[in-house]
Amino acid sequence: MTASNALSSDPFDLDFEGEEARPAPKTAVHGEAWAEGADETPATGELLDPFAGLPHEEPPTETEEGASAAGANPITEMLAHAEAALGDHCVPKISIHAFCAKGDTIELVRRAAADRRMERAKTTIHEGGLAAAATFYQDQPTPPLLILETQEPPAQLLDHLGRLAEVCDPGTKVVVVGGANDIALYRELMRRGVSEYLVHPLRPLQLIAAITALYADPAQPFIGRQIAFCGAKGGCGSSTLAHNVAHLIAERLAASTVLVDLDLPFGTAGLDFNQDPLQGIADALSQPDRLDPVLLERMMARCGDHLSLFAAPANLEREYDITPDSLEEVAQKIRASSPYVVLDLPHAWTAWKRRLLIASDDVVIVAEPDLASLRNAKNILDLIRSARPNDAPPRVVLNKVGLPGRPEIPIKDFGEALGAPPAMIIGFDAKLFGQAANNGQMIGEVGPKSRQAESLQQLAWMISRRETVAPAASRTDSLLAKLLKR
């Protein structure tokens, strides 16, 4: 997160001049817009980032969005990063009208409207800014959300805002985008019932974060991170990595995690954890409308203090017809129950798998260093990149590297063909992985000091965006180590 040069050391210091100070933006959700007698201190819903301080994987460049990183607004950027850390809220099914004064802002709103988090909202873009909006709604009803850009000085801005207030419907929320980083203006806008005030330069995720904060459910402060594991081809080890990463997040981070095995006829999660539950994900998918926290908990098998398993039935007695809508409903309810949700996706390509990949916070593509994996990984990567332009690209993990007797594509060439180097390289060890599978154990339990176990820990850290903690050494070991050093 890049600090803004425009903010003073104390953003709430009232001794300021012009644009030198502005408070941290607040999420003001008013029951009625333009309430003249509204309290100066609006109700707020702050999104705290529990992972603040960790380095962001892809810092913005000088040319991104046409603005330098130094000029970015740090508060709205923090909110966007908090959304990414805790999982994504989605904008409800509403109509949004944006009145933009500049071409750059029009493109910004277009990119935000195309984002997966806003797919349920209908966004209409108009030219002309705040003044045009005040004229446009003289004989038209206002939508649930207005995004208004202004380049005018504060006095003229407030004048146009007053004209708009005369024709604005009570339930309309208003987000104003301007260039004046002025605390007095901000407070006056909040007093007049404006829901949020954003300052240029902006990025799509910052605008989306501001909109989602206006419609966040207070009873559900966050949605868990959804991490999807997808194999570039069958048998590449995607399920094994998904199970191990879920176990590491739960055990090493002591974070509640749910592992969902969506390979209904051939899933191996139950085998890998020595579990044979009577109910699982198939039962949840058959009755998504009946799922509540109690029933959800009953259907999951406990695999430790922090890990729960939604196992696949893994039998061929019936065919499984999963609809995208039912799976999305179940996935949302699972995400609301746990900070981390790991999806083990089957290799078959379906409409619901495509939707899950696009909707997940993190996507891990597991491939082997061969031509078929390269082609398929690139196809999946290109699809997700085009469908999620505002998100970080999927991580590609090269698994089973160094298989004896098999010609392999060099790692450098593999990364160049994909357009990005693999995020992790995991070497082949038939004995280690075979023993873990046959014993129903994790790699960290069978070979805790192996390179593969270390690589999986690093992958879990990257995905969870937190640092894994190694088990504490016993007091005896510590004393012995000190004696040996003498």
Side-chain angles (χ1 to χ4, degrees), residues 57-284:
E57 292 179 347
E58 293 188 12
T61 60
E62 279 287 313
T63 58
E64 184 179 354
E65 300 294 329
S68 67
N73 188 327
I75 303 301
T76 50
E77 191 167 349
M78 180 194 73
L79 293 177
H81 291 172
E83 285 291 310
L86 290 177
D88 294 312
H89 295 272
C90 291
V91 178
K93 191 176 181 179
I94 59 172
S95 178
I96 302 174
H97 288 189
F99 285 79
C100 306
K102 300 189 298 183
D104 292 346
T105 309
I106 292 177
E107 182 61 24
L108 168 75
V109 175
R110 281 177 180 165
R111 291 184 59 185
D115 191 270
R116 60 190 175 87
R117 304 165 189 85
M118 293 185 61
E119 62 181 359
R120 289 186 288 179
K122 181 181 178 182
T123 304
T124 305
I125 302 176
H126 303 269
E127 296 183 1
L130 176 57
T135 303
F136 182 82
Y137 292 110
Q138 294 293 329
D139 54 358
Q140 301 239 11
T142 53
L145 177 61
L146 276 174
I147 301 174
L148 309 173
E149 184 184 21
T150 178
Q151 296 178 291
E152 301 155 342
Q156 196 171 356
L157 184 162
L158 295 175
D159 178 61
H160 288 309
L161 206 57
R163 289 174 49 207
L164 181 62
E166 296 175 358
V167 296
C168 191
D169 296 337
T172 298
K173 298 179 186 294
V174 176
V175 174
V176 177
V177 180
N181 202 358
D182 188 332
I183 187 173
L185 174 62
Y186 175 80
R187 288 181 172 175
E188 178 61 22
L189 292 175
M190 295 298 104
R191 190 187 71 80
R192 295 193 178 208
V194 171
S195 299
E196 181 60 284
Y197 178 60
L198 304 175
V199 178
H200 284 299
L202 285 173
R203 298 187 178 88
L205 284 183
Q206 296 170 3
L207 179 60
I208 294 169
I211 296 173
T212 54
L214 297 179
Y215 294 94
D217 183 1
Q220 184 177 307
F222 73 93
I223 299 175
R225 290 187 59 75
Q226 182 170 286
I227 305 148
F229 278 76
C230 171
K233 71 171 190 177
C236 62
S238 174
S239 294
T240 299
L241 299 191
H243 304 168
N244 277 271
V245 167
H247 181 264
L248 284 168
I249 292 176
E251 297 302 319
R252 291 300 182 95
L253 302 180
S256 296
T257 306
V258 176
L259 173 61
V260 184
D261 189 348
L262 288 169
D263 189 352
L264 301 188
F266 302 110
T268 59
L271 294 175
D272 285 350
F273 288 95
N274 269 331
Q275 295 283 341
D276 188 17
L278 297 177
Q279 292 181 304
I281 188 63
D283 300 282

Side-chain angles (χ1 to χ4, degrees), residues 285-329:
L285 291 172
S286 65
Q287 46 187 338
D289 54 328
R290 291 188 54 212
L291 280 183
D292 57 26
V294 176
L295 184 57
L296 204 64
E297 182 70 22
R298 189 183 306 163
M299 289 181 173
M300 292 188 290
R302 300 293 297 181
C303 300
D305 294 336
H306 305 287
L307 180 62
S308 300
L309 171 62
F310 246 132
N315 63 62
L316 305 178
E317 294 179 358
R318 67 185 182 95
E319 297 179 355
Y320 303 99
D321 185 17
I322 303 177
T323 63
D325 291 338
S326 64
L327 185 56
E328 183 178 10
E329 183 177 353

